[in-house]
Amino acid sequence: MKTSRRLLPWLVALLLPMATATADETCNSPYMANLIKGQEDYLHVWTLGVPGLGDGADKLVTVDVNPRSPKYGKVVDVVSVGGRGEAHHMGFTDDRRYLWAGRLDDSKIFVFDVGTNPARPKLVKTISDLPGKSGFVGPHTFYPIPGRMLIGTLSNARDHGGATGIAVYNNKGDYVTSHAIPTALPGAVQADGYGYDIAVNPNRNVMLTSSFTGHKNYMMDLGKLMADPAAMKNFGNTMVVWDFKAMKPTKVLGTPGAPLEIRWSLNEGDNWAITASALTSRLWLIKQDERGEWQARDVAPIGDPAKIPLPVDISIAANGKSLWVNTFMDGKTRLFDLTNPAAPKQVYEKVTGKQVNMVSQSWDGKRVYVTSSLLANWDKKGNDNEQFLKLFSWDGKELREQWKIDFTKEGLGRAHHMKFTAKHGGVAAISGTAIADRGAPAR
């Protein structure tokens, strides 16, 4: 029987052993090459445009973050993509040459060449066919597997509600197929169709997806949203367990309160993941029970859940022993001890801004980057509307601010998602396996 070129990259992905897991440097797909275990050289920040500020458009901002550089802590490049479409998250292709960046409002996806010269990213392709091809809108998570990009979305083109799914593109930027998040699945927990993050554990042939809310909610003013009881009911309360090889949902897990980022432990031998639920401010552990069934357990509060600190991002240590958690409402960065993942303990906290969102740590855990913006209509108002990128050093006891870039003062916009690149990373092959259809995006 012949195997089509269309299916070959999928088969390669399924047959590959688990590559060295990569991240932020600890929070990305295990299929991505070129892990930066040393000093990162550049940090790319996907930035929301603000009317009347600079050119007012969404943009990719590149910062020199190597302390040996004369431009350390300075913006070295800005690529404006035009317009404002709620710039949100980014993800590398599996060879780390290209960075895909999405917008939640108009659903456009911008592909940047960061491999040729990471100090000067180049916009090489704009993908505008996601709603028309897949029926989904709000591209959120960009999760690479060999030759393919899985795109986790937040909403749909039909009613802009929460029912959504995963779109699949090849590395050239061509649509391949899509998979709906289940709205009905046999079991005790009711499926709700909501989507957010994607995380794969190849060793267990398991993919997890989490859930948030639809376009009508995430584009609404936060104060108006929280005062609308009907709208507040329209948030995801589940995670879905998938057979990754078959791309088939197998179980729905109850995780009330919009579980967001998912992080698998990278420690060898561990087979558990953790997430934080935004509205209920809890940490959830996803692990197999004694029968081999995947279960979700509420294992710890984050701050005082009654005050809704709103955990918005997490970053797991390379050894799986600790977890940084950013909470938007109180502007705090917290550290949890995960030595026993079934009973996480908060061991540190610091106010790192009047509002904080994304948190990204280096592989060695000595550097922690923090940005400020959540969503354009959810950010705080007035003096509390700080917009920044900050670098902190971590010595195991204290976060110490090294430098700050004021994105408002610099006329850049609202700083959101971050990704690292290095000058001399090269492009490593994955297990020496040739992968079909791995071409660069069309220029």
Side-chain angles (χ1 to χ4, degrees), residues 76-213:
V76 294
D77 192 66
V78 176
V79 182
S80 179
V81 298
R84 290 184 300 277
E86 197 67 39
H88 205 65
H89 278 207
M90 305 182 287
F92 292 104
T93 48
D94 59 303
D95 57 13
R96 208 163 182 155
R97 285 184 181 271
Y98 296 90
L99 184 60
W100 292 37
R103 303 204 297 200
L104 295 182
D105 189 14
D106 63 9
S107 297
K108 288 185 178 179
I109 299 166
F110 302 90
V111 181
F112 298 92
D113 176 355
V114 294
T116 301
N117 181 0
R120 297 285 186 270
K122 182 179 180 181
L123 179 64
V124 294
K125 187 179 182 70
T126 301
I127 301 170
S128 303
D129 62 3
L130 175 69
K133 294 286 189 179
S134 69
F136 304 141
V137 300
H140 179 271
T141 297
F142 296 88
Y143 199 91
I145 63 174
R148 295 287 188 263
M149 183 69 78
L150 307 183
I151 303 175
T153 65
L154 300 185
S155 192
N156 66 77
R158 185 184 68 258
D159 63 7
H160 278 192
T164 190
I166 299 169
V168 184
Y169 281 72
N170 64 25
N171 281 4
K172 294 179 180 179
D174 301 322
Y175 173 80
V176 177
T177 189
S178 57
H179 306 275
I181 304 292
T183 54
L185 198 67
V189 177
Q190 176 62 48
D192 55 27
Y194 287 67
Y196 186 80
D197 202 13
I198 299 170
V200 174
N201 182 340
N203 287 337
R204 288 290 184 269
N205 184 35
V206 170
M207 180 172 74
L208 298 174
T209 56
S210 55
S211 58
F212 183 44
T213 193

Side-chain angles (χ1 to χ4, degrees), residues 68-343:
R68 296 184 296 274
S69 169
K71 296 182 179 179
Y72 176 56
K74 305 297 183 184
V75 174
V76 294
D77 192 66
V78 176
V79 182
S80 179
V81 298
R84 290 184 300 277
E86 197 67 39
H88 205 65
H89 278 207
M90 305 182 287
F92 292 104
T93 48
D94 59 303
D95 57 13
R96 208 163 182 155
R97 285 184 181 271
Y98 296 90
L99 184 60
W100 292 37
R103 303 204 297 200
L104 295 182
D105 189 14
D106 63 9
S107 297
K108 288 185 178 179
I109 299 166
F110 302 90
V111 181
F112 298 92
D113 176 355
V114 294
T116 301
N117 181 0
R120 297 285 186 270
K122 182 179 180 181
L123 179 64
V124 294
K125 187 179 182 70
T126 301
I127 301 170
S128 303
D129 62 3
L130 175 69
K133 294 286 189 179
S134 69
F136 304 141
V137 300
H140 179 271
T141 297
F142 296 88
Y143 199 91
I145 63 174
R148 295 287 188 263
M149 183 69 78
L150 307 183
I151 303 175
T153 65
L154 300 185
S155 192
N156 66 77
R158 185 184 68 258
D159 63 7
H160 278 192
T164 190
I166 299 169
V168 184
Y169 281 72
N170 64 25
N171 281 4
K172 294 179 180 179
D174 301 322
Y175 173 80
V176 177
T177 189
S178 57
H179 306 275
I181 304 292
T183 54
L185 198 67
V189 177
Q190 176 62 48
D192 55 27
Y194 287 67
Y196 186 80
D197 202 13
I198 299 170
V200 174
N201 182 340
N203 287 337
R204 288 290 184 269
N205 184 35
V206 170
M207 180 172 74
L208 298 174
T209 56
S210 55
S211 58
F212 183 44
T213 193
H215 185 278
K216 288 185 287 189
N217 269 9
Y218 65 69
M219 292 303 296
M220 190 186 303
D221 177 83
L222 182 59
K224 181 180 178 182
L225 173 63
M226 294 181 73
D228 185 338
M232 288 300 293
K233 293 179 181 178
N234 296 325
F235 282 85
N237 292 295
T238 62
M239 296 178 70
V240 178
V241 181
W242 300 67
D243 178 324
F244 177 56
K245 292 181 181 180
M247 287 299 289
K248 178 181 179 181
T250 59
K251 186 173 184 178
V252 177
L253 306 173
T255 49
L260 301 182
E261 270 71 20
I262 309 164
R263 305 294 181 236
W264 286 101
S265 172
L266 307 182
N267 191 45
E268 188 174 354
D270 285 353
N271 284 296
W272 54 264
I274 199 157
T275 190
S277 53
L279 301 183
T280 50
S281 301
R282 314 291 300 190
L283 288 176
W284 292 81
L285 178 69
I286 298 88
K287 188 177 182 181
Q288 288 174 301
D289 61 20
E290 61 278 1
R291 299 171 299 169
E293 288 287 326
W294 291 97
Q295 307 290 353
R297 292 176 52 198
D298 174 351
V299 289
I302 301 167
D304 181 355
K307 295 180 180 179
I308 314 178
L310 199 63
V312 283
D313 193 27
I314 58 177
S315 180
I316 197 167
N319 63 6
K321 301 301 183 185
S322 62
L323 184 79
W324 290 106
V325 180
N326 266 5
T327 46
F328 179 80
M329 296 303 289
D330 57 14
K332 289 184 177 180
T333 298
R334 294 175 164 87
L335 183 66
F336 284 81
D337 181 346
L338 294 183
T339 303
N340 177 5

